[in-house]
Amino acid sequence: MIHKDHPRYESLKLRAMVVDAYKRGILADSGMIAHGRGEAFDYLLGEKTSNNAKKAVKAAAAALILAENPVISVNGNTTALVPREIVKLAKEIQCKIEINLFYRTPERISAIEKVFKDVCAENVLGNDHEEKESIKGLEGPRSSSSKEGIYIADVVLVPLEDGDRAEELVKLGKLLITIDLNPLSRTAKTASITIVDNIVRAIPNLIEAIQELKGADPSTLHQIIESFNNNENIQESLIKISKKYTGVEQ
Ligand code: PTJ
């Protein structure tokens, strides 16, 4: 039991969710290591949403609204932390959810599928019974993609992704949106839009931005995307970290 007045309450709460998901067979053991890495970057970034993360969220919202075939790719960590929010986001933009695992096992696929069904997800792809296509350039189970989902998607939101898969998805011509607290990761640098923020803040922010932009005309949405520069945005995160620790910014 974590007390609410503990100074690290929010962070400890997320750790407890991650450990619980591991015990329930949802999270890969490496998922705990990945969470620890994210936690360290979140600490360096001040554990709050930066202005540049807000800019990336706005561009991501515009891209998702304009998409013809958007898909949200979910893994163990996403399922552990934000399943309800993912379902809300999918309903907001009428989009499919696809389970896509780096450490794929039939047991984890069905444990994750159950979590999403329990929170009323309508269309969960990526299980072991449907038709799949392999993503070129990737080997083994992590190359799997649903024929109705990521394979035909034009825009893919894929939080906490590994660098190889991110690169191959971009090579296939998909507009890739990621959420990654590590601004230096290969995925962060490969994606078209990288939201450098904790997924627990980024998904609710994305839902809010979509609600605000839904009525905007397509030319405004295109303009938001075109004026977004992912490289510059990532640089802003790095500058933020260095300013914070060289005393330039408190
Ligand atoms: O569930 P699976 O089998 O698909 O496996 C998922 C993991 C995350 C274990 C797998 O994809 C993996 O090993 O990923 P990486 O290469 O460790 O990358 C995870 C990235 O997510 C790292 O750059 C972390 O900094 C970042 N990260 C971790 N927790 C969060 C995060 N980013 C945003 N929000 C978080 N809460």
Side-chain angles (χ1 to χ4, degrees):
M1 173 76 185
I2 310 152
H3 285 286
K4 280 203 167 162
D5 54 1
H6 191 289
R8 305 281 317 142
Y9 173 74
E10 284 302 325
S11 174
L12 293 175
K13 191 178 74 182
L14 298 187
R15 276 192 189 183
M17 288 165 83
V18 161
V19 171
D20 178 60
Y22 175 70
K23 288 182 183 158
R24 286 158 57 214
I26 293 159
L27 202 85
D29 45 12
S30 293
M32 288 198 275
I33 299 169
H35 182 80
R37 183 143 39 123
E39 199 181 70
F41 275 103
D42 207 10
Y43 191 87
L44 292 174
L45 286 158
E47 295 173 324
K48 56 178 192 226
T49 303
S50 62
N51 285 337
N52 58 293
K54 285 182 194 158
K55 264 191 256 169
V57 160
K58 196 169 171 188
L64 286 166
I65 295 169
L66 286 172
E68 279 178 23
N69 232 326
V71 172
I72 308 174
S73 173
V74 295
N75 63 12
N77 292 59
T78 302
T79 310
L81 295 172
V82 282
R84 280 189 182 76
E85 294 81 353
I86 291 286
V87 172
K88 191 168 174 203
L89 174 63
K91 287 186 177 156
E92 208 57 65
I93 45 168
Q94 305 291 317
C95 110
K96 296 162 192 158
I97 296 172
E98 178 169 339
I99 306 168
N100 224 304
L101 302 185
F102 189 84
Y103 302 101
R104 190 180 178 103
T105 64
E107 294 77 18
R108 286 189 63 220
I109 294 284
S110 50
I112 291 173
E113 199 176 13
K114 183 173 179 320
V115 171
F116 280 99
K117 289 205 168 137
D118 287 349
V119 293
C120 305
E122 270 158 26
N123 200 357
V124 182
L125 301 170
N127 67 41
D128 284 333
H129 310 294
E130 65 183 79
E131 249 192 284
K132 301 280 183 3
E133 280 288 343
S134 267
I135 299 172
K136 242 176 81 195
L138 297 175
E139 282 152 25
R142 73 192 173 118
S143 74
S144 156
S145 76
S146 161
K147 257 190 155 172
E148 285 175 58
I150 290 177
Y151 194 68
I152 54 159
D154 55 345
V155 177
V156 187
L157 168 63
V158 48
L160 285 74
E161 177 61 306
D162 90 282
D164 283 351
R165 215 165 42 184
E167 280 177 0
E168 296 307 327
L169 290 172
V170 168
K171 276 191 207 155
L172 287 174
K174 307 199 186 288
L175 189 153
L176 203 76
I177 303 167
T178 195
I179 301 168
D180 194 327
L181 276 161
N182 178 1
L184 297 165
S185 80
R186 196 147 49 97
T187 302
K189 291 194 248 173
T190 304
S192 320
I193 302 171
T194 301
I195 303 167
V196 182
D197 200 4
N198 198 317
I199 192 171
V200 301
R201 295 188 294 272
I203 298 289
N205 287 343
L206 198 46
I207 295 169
E208 209 180 296
I210 286 169
Q211 287 167 344
E212 277 169 20
L213 286 174
K214 245 184 184 172
D217 60 286
S219 64
T220 307
L221 297 174
H222 280 292
Q223 216 256 319
I224 291 171
I225 299 169
E226 275 152 30
S227 64
F228 178 80
N229 181 319
N230 203 46
N231 222 353
E232 277 175 24
N233 198 275
I234 287 172
Q235 293 300 323
E236 282 176 38
S237 290
L238 294 170
I239 291 167
K240 190 174 166 53
I241 293 174
S242 71
K243 276 188 178 165
K244 197 167 166 58
Y245 296 95
T246 51
V248 180
E249 191 185 274
Q250 290 308 307

